């Protein structure tokens, strides 16, 4: 008997939004017109060799790991090459951690709502998922302390900066408290950090991994480079690295040698920070266009996040006595009929969903298209 | 507490064989000088586009799946595009099947000896591995029937053609019997088939998947194209495909879009069968060189497989009363001191190893280097 699992409603939905006339706020995709196609084409050409077509070490390309280590160190997270495992996207990093650390029935603490595909990983591992309360400043350390006391989780999963789906950022004060809790209780923490370089205002907040040795830090080229290359990395404590490498070996032996070599060639020949500044300039305008359009898109009493970076705005519709608590899932098809798409919020909840929520991504549309898409959305939501 | 797993002694050993003066028969690598570097360089250049740098469907690139389906159909295994899931190497196909089908404690039946990294997958899934006896014609159906009766396995894992590590091929008669057993008892079968196109003599034997709908067929470009691209595929029954796609989604969302697009471009522009004929011509000479050298390399009473294809010769040293049953693991370091490398056989056994065995790969050395390497090996083995 095959085991039974629930698929991702977001990926199922994305299949419906592929019509060109749909303005989609549903995906979590980077804008393809901003990919550095020429730079990457040159990098692949330089990288292609007999060596890059052959099997390679499970840990990953040494040149690439040195370059990633230097980037992390430059951003304040001191990292050596042996601290890093190259993964097939940061999604794989999550699966490896889960396989390496969790026995069936283990408890995983998460923000609620949180990244859907992380919830799927934990469910596949037969983990028990326990939500931790938070607010617009991210997870509440007191609530975490309570969950630790009551549930004894093995693992805490967080997207501390520009979270998916909420766009929220965990404050420094709370990071310090959460790191101290992890240290005190021997809790492993996964800091999933695909978005922090996409900051449109304000100052960077130090990574949780700078504050505790209990943190496994997952990074990715998908949002700042190109997701099609499926390149991520895991920075992990020495005590876990050997187990993680064995798990990675069983998973796929190693990540594509040619994609890794191309990424290394690209990082040597180009200024990725300069490229990211270009992304931030474009995404900042798109973010601003969406935030500007929201008041005339949603009904009175709606709340939304106002993210400093990343890709997402999180919207909570009013309970509205007259409306009897709208379920955004029931609005998806009417939105598609009006050629606009969003993701309902419910799937991002591990336990009891708030069905009045929805996620909007602002990255893949121009400000003009965002304005038009929000006008269409207004006819559904208001 | 992290879980504890045993690493691959083969991959650990490979790190020691990287010195250029070592003639290595240890790896399971294709010969890099036979890679079609120019063809693949052109394919990557053609494939690189905004679309191939973006996220993509979990199932895999449709163009590539059509091309794979056509190749399989042309080889006698009727396959449609929806029967195929593109994987990050066939190693990943194995992990996906294990995650989709096996609860902890499930029983997996295997040939003994068998592919080491498959054993690791089953161990990571906390499966119980039960060996099935066989001989030079592969697994014995009567022994399998007995194991089914006694142990009720969920899954049977086989490399039916030019097996790793033995080089053996399961006869057609036995394939028919094993397929019938699978049908009768509702047993899932994984047919791991990376080597069958590397045939140096004799006629192709029909795939197990042509004989039963209970067979999941895993294929790979690693041995006939380039392993650095990490491209494999799984042909699975419709009843399992949705679950497998969900598991793949959690594992890494999808396989590298650019590598898939490059493989599709390569298959459209080149005659892979012609390339494979070139590989077979070169590997046939290398196989012959190794078989020719064996009588003067090993002690009297040694047995070895005489494979019709693939990459490996399996050697069993004599019990030798005077030698007291040699453990090939104890000879690895002396071989390395003489600048030659092999893999001891013990790690390929799920249960009680025959320590007098060793695996020799003939693919990565020229006939002259094979002759020289075997002379060095003779000083260790005789």
């Amino acid at each position: 008997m095959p085991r039974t699992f629930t698929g991702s409603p977001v990926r199922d939905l994305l299949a419906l939004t592929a019509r060109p006339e749909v303005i989609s706020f549903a995906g979590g995709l980077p804008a393809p017109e901003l990919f550095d196609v020429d730079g990457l084409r040159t990098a692949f050409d330089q990288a292609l060799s007999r060596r890059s077509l052959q099997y390679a070490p499970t840990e990953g390309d040494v040149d690439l790991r040195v370059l990633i280590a230097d980037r992390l160190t430059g951003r304040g997270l001191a990292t050596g090459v042996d601290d890093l495992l190259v993964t097939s996207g940061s999604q794989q990093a999550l699966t490896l951690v889960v396989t390496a650390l969790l026995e069936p029935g283990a408890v995983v603490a998460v923000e609620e709502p949180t990244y859907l595909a992380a919830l799927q990983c934990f469910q596949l591992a037969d983990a028990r998922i326990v939500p931790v309360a938070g607010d617009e400043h991210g997870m509440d350390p007191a609530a975490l302390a309570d969950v630790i006391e009551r549930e004894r989780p093995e693992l805490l999963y967080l997207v501390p900066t520009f979270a998916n789906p909420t766009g929220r950022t965990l404050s420094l004060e709370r990071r310090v408290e959460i790191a101290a809790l992890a240290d005190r209780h021997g809790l492993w923490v996964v800091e999933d950090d695909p978005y922090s370089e996409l900051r449109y205002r304000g100052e960077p907040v130090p990574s949780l991994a700078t504050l505790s040795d209990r943190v496994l830090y997952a990074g990715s080229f998908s949002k700042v480079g190109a997701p099609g290359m499926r390149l991520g990395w895991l920075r992990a404590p020495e005590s876990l690295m050997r187990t993680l490498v064995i798990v990675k070996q069983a998973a796929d032996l190693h990540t594509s040698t040619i994609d890794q070599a191309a990424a290394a060639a690209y990082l040597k020949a180009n200024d990725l920070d300069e490229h990211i500044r270009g992304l931030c300039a474009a995404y900042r305008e798109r973010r601003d266009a969406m935030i500007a359009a929201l008041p005339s898109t949603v009904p009175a009493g709606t709340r939304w996040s106002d993210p400093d970076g990343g890709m997402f705005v999180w919207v909570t519709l009013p309970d509205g006595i007259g409306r009897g608590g709208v379920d955004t899932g029931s609005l998806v098809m009417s939105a598609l009929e009006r050629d606009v798409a969003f993701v309902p919020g419910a799937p991002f909840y591990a336990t009891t969903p708030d069905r009045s929520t929805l996620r909007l991504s602002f990255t893949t549309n121009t400000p003009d298209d965002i304005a038009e898409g929000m006008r269409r959305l207004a006819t559904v939501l208001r």
Side-chain angles (χ1 to χ4, degrees), chain A residues 99-114:
Chain A
T99 307
L101 291 180
L102 302 185
E103 302 282 357
V107 174
V108 178
V110 300
E111 296 166 284
E112 188 160 62
T114 193

Side-chain angles (χ1 to χ4, degrees), chain A residues 11 25 50 73 77 81 88 130 136 145 149 167 189 193-195 219 260 272 295 297 326 328 345 353 360:
Chain A
R11 286 185 77 86
F25 304 135
R50 298 197 187 280
T73 303
L77 179 58
V81 63
S88 303
V130 175
E136 66 273 26
E149 183 69 30
V189 179
D193 191 39
Y195 307 112
Q260 291 187 72
L272 181 59
T297 304
V326 65
T328 57
L360 299 174

Side-chain angles (χ1 to χ4, degrees), chain A residues 25 71 91 111 164 201 244 247 281 301 328 331 333 353 358 379:
Chain A
F25 304 135
R71 280 187 66 77
Q91 180 70 34
E111 296 166 284
N164 181 358
R201 66 179 180 207
L244 288 164
V247 173
T328 57
L331 303 176
M333 293 316 294
L358 59 105
T379 66

Side-chain angles (χ1 to χ4, degrees), chain A residues 4 97 103 112 126 142 156 158 170 181 205 231 261 292 301 318 325 335 344 376:
Chain A
T4 48
V97 170
E103 302 282 357
E112 188 160 62
D126 292 323
L156 168 66
L158 279 171
L170 186 66
L181 283 169
V205 185
L231 286 178
R376 295 179 192 171

Side-chain angles (χ1 to χ4, degrees), chain A residues 7 11 30 50 60 73 105 120-121 140 150 169 188 204 226 293 304 355:
Chain A
R11 286 185 77 86
R50 298 197 187 280
T73 303
Q120 288 185 296
C121 272
D140 175 5
R150 211 176 57 235
T169 295
W188 292 113
W304 58 85
R355 297 187 186 281

Side-chain angles (χ1 to χ4, degrees), chain A residues 12 29 67 80 84 111-112 140 151 166 181 199 244 256 298 307 324 335 341:
Chain A
D12 293 347
L29 311 180
L67 289 157
L84 290 173
E111 296 166 284
E112 188 160 62
D140 175 5
E151 306 277 2
T166 62
L181 283 169
R199 174 175 282 279
L244 288 164
S256 165
V298 295

